[in-house]
Amino acid sequence: MLPFHAILTDRLELRRFSRNDLSAFQEYRRDPELSKYQGWEPTADEDALAFLIEQSDQILGPDGQWLQIAVTCIKSKRLIGDFGLCVRDSRRGIAEMGFTISRTIQRQGYATEAAAAILVALFGTNMIYLVTATTDERNRASISLLLRLGFELAKTQTAVFRGELCTEHTFEVSATQWYQLR
């Protein structure tokens, strides 16, 4: 099990969710274009609030359990997205991450800034040595982000997602690669 503490960057705070995040959370999570390649689907307010409350004290670990981290803009104090973290194999030090940033503020470097901070935090635990991320091959923005961060394509496979056949790419970056790039 890994602890999670709030992370501050130049423009962002990565923190636990709170009840006050519901409106902004629902705003971007109900965007059909944004959810197209995500593992989640829009939900009713009651279910979303229960999820936010559950995530507010969720731990990172045990293996296979996801923790969602709120991404907020320091200047506006507004929730702009979230990152999912999951320890896949604690014995081998493997974690997975996923990300969602509101389309209204994309292409401003927020996802890159948040992901870099999360990688520093994960690798800084000395318990995680490899981080993976899986995306649909059509999700060009996510692929570009992962490549900018130094992730490399590890495998490609055919999958069924939401009832449709698709091609998924799994990318990975090791702690050694990450620190060499910095």
Side-chain angles (χ1 to χ4, degrees):
M1 313 242 199
L2 300 171
F4 175 80
H5 306 287
I7 301 169
L8 292 176
T9 69
D10 290 341
R11 302 180 298 162
L12 302 172
E13 180 182 15
L14 286 67
R15 60 165 174 78
R16 299 287 187 161
F17 278 107
S18 77
R19 293 171 179 265
N20 297 335
D21 293 322
L22 180 63
S23 177
F25 180 80
Q26 288 292 75
E27 185 178 315
Y28 69 80
R29 285 266 182 138
R30 285 182 173 157
D31 179 341
E33 188 63 27
L34 191 62
S35 66
K36 183 170 26 178
Y37 301 120
Q38 298 289 351
W40 48 261
E41 294 187 30
T43 61
D45 284 350
E46 309 80 52
D47 295 332
L49 182 58
F51 175 77
L52 295 179
I53 292 168
E54 171 190 302
Q55 290 299 308
S56 70
D57 63 0
Q58 181 82 315
I59 56 172
L60 183 51
D63 290 4
Q65 180 174 288
W66 284 90
L67 166 65
Q68 294 297 128
I69 306 295
V71 178
T72 57
C73 181
I74 291 174
K75 198 172 194 177
S76 68
K77 304 277 191 237
R78 182 143 174 89
L79 177 71
I80 61 170
D82 57 88
F83 270 67
L85 304 174
C86 179
V87 176
R88 286 294 179 196
D89 186 336
S90 56
R91 286 176 298 172
R92 293 178 43 217
I94 300 172
E96 181 178 357
M97 79 174 187
F99 40 86
T100 304
I101 298 290
S102 173
R103 281 194 315 138
T104 62
I105 54 87
Q106 287 181 358
R107 293 177 179 55
Q108 296 179 45
Y110 291 120
T112 303
E113 189 173 327
I118 286 172
L119 289 170
V120 167
L122 287 173
F123 291 142
T125 65
N126 292 320
M127 296 172 72
I128 299 298
Y129 303 103
L130 182 76
V131 176
T132 68
T134 300
T135 188
D136 189 296
E137 74 174 346
R138 298 168 291 181
N139 191 343
R140 295 325 232 157
S142 290
I143 292 169
S144 293
L145 168 64
L146 294 168
L147 293 174
R148 266 193 315 279
L149 290 166
F151 280 75
E152 295 179 353
L153 182 62
K155 71 178 179 179
T156 299
Q157 63 188 30
T158 302
V160 176
F161 182 69
R162 295 188 182 170
E164 291 183 29
L165 201 58
C166 69
T167 301
E168 289 183 336
H169 293 315
T170 299
F171 292 85
E172 59 185 36
V173 65
S174 70
T176 303
Q177 290 169 303
W178 173 254
Y179 288 119
Q180 286 175 348
L181 291 170
R182 301 299 162 276

